[in-house]
Amino acid sequence: MFGFFVTLLLVSLSWASVVARIGSETIERDEVYSLFQSYWREILHLPIARATKFDVQNFLVELVRAKIIQQEAKKMGITAGKRELEEYIERNIGSKNLSRVVREFIKTELLIDKILDRLVGGVQVNENQIIAYYYLNLRDFKMPAQVGLERFVADSLDSANEAYYRLSKGIEFLEDIKGLRKGETMWYSIQALPEALRKQLSPYHIGTISKPIQTEAGYVIFRVVGRRNEGIIPLEEAKSMVRAKLIREKRQEVLKEWLENTLKKYRVEFYFSQL
């Protein structure tokens, strides 16, 4: 009899630690908080003391969502390999020192793109749709003064200094510099740039180069490759942006419908009061 009550007590204690269920799979409170701390630190870069229970609840929902998407992708024969994941991280994030949970979320986003490719195929947007959207949303194309910056990231200060020296001398050959990566050109609002970077690059002549700046991803060098004055982006220049936006919206509509239908297949339960 005593053994029965001990067993019952252990089951009750175990149940009290469960914060979510996906079918027969359970997710426990300690696991959620452990994963959440890594997520909060690496994705939001905020002190854990600023996190609220609502933040943890949102994280738990995203964790469950990721698990279901990965299960569905497996059923569909869709995968995201380790090499593909590493290449995505290097290309879009830079830092390789990521926790397991952050990698799993990134993997989920890769899987979502592949699932949508299969569900949507090649979404087509015609010229009339683009023109109509542009003129109906003209205020969205009013842009502040911007500068196009090319980004070079080096693993060490020595490599960054060598890259800076060559670029400042007009030498484009950088392939032999160890640990140097060239990023895509991105446009930034001049007013939004950090003051230290504005001082280095002003008055933003094409080819102006910043000195190496230390970041979490390494040492970064910026080079000015373009400038846009304040005003409305011309239609011809905006077309690619509008096309991408309309395609993205269509894919989001399909994803929302797919997720709603997919979630109906699973018995999902949340126990937020036990967080």
Side-chain angles (χ1 to χ4, degrees), residues 1 7 36 73 96 105 148 231 258:
M1 181 66 72
T7 302
F36 175 73
K96 294 184 178 181
F105 278 138
W258 179 81

Side-chain angles (χ1 to χ4, degrees), residues 66-84:
K67 286 178 176 290
I68 290 174
I69 289 171
Q70 291 200 22
Q71 289 183 35
E72 284 298 305
K74 186 177 181 180
K75 292 177 184 178
M76 297 169 71
I78 296 173
T79 61
K82 182 177 179 181
R83 182 175 179 180
E84 185 179 4

